[in-house]
Amino acid sequence: PKDKPPVKLHLTSLKPGSYHLSISHIGFQQNDPYSAYLNMGAPSQLTRAQVDQLKQQATGAPDQEKDITVGANGTWEADFPMRENEVVFAKLTPRALKSVGSD
């Protein structure tokens, strides 16, 4: 797949604070059970082992994770590199605040 221009994600009206960012790419040979199926020779009937292998190829698990901070203005933005026929899933989750006195 060819590289495409990056996509800019710009979020507003966020509550200031700490967040955890998870990024999953889905495309050619990344979370891609179809390519894995073709690499198996496109069998007309899959074995249980092959089905399990395909499921492992498409878990949607993040390939990048990091913590970010949203400032007082409540905005956050990032650029995501893209390739042809690719989807990027970005999940932003507020970090739980530690209560005073807990460890």
Side-chain angles (χ1 to χ4, degrees):
K2 295 178 185 175
D3 288 338
K4 300 302 260 178
V7 170
K8 182 178 288 288
L9 177 62
H10 180 83
L11 301 177
T12 61
S13 302
L14 295 170
K15 185 177 176 181
S18 256
Y19 290 80
H20 184 75
L21 175 65
S22 298
I23 303 165
S24 298
H25 289 84
I26 301 165
F28 181 67
Q29 296 186 345
Q30 286 186 296
N31 278 311
D32 178 13
Y34 186 66
S35 291
Y37 167 75
L38 292 177
N39 289 336
M40 292 176 177
S44 60
Q45 183 65 44
L46 296 171
T47 66
R48 285 185 189 210
Q50 288 171 320
V51 170
D52 289 341
Q53 184 180 357
L54 292 176
K55 285 181 181 180
Q56 291 172 8
Q57 295 290 322
T59 65
D63 49 83
Q64 297 175 22
E65 294 187 85
K66 64 182 178 179
D67 292 328
I68 64 156
T69 301
V70 172
N73 66 0
T75 63
W76 177 79
E77 66 180 36
D79 292 334
F80 295 94
M82 297 291 294
R83 298 182 308 166
E84 284 183 334
N85 302 314
E86 183 175 65
V87 174
V88 175
F89 177 67
K91 181 179 178 182
L92 202 55
T93 307
R95 301 284 296 183
L97 296 177
K98 262 184 138 177
S99 60
V100 176
S102 67
D103 286 6

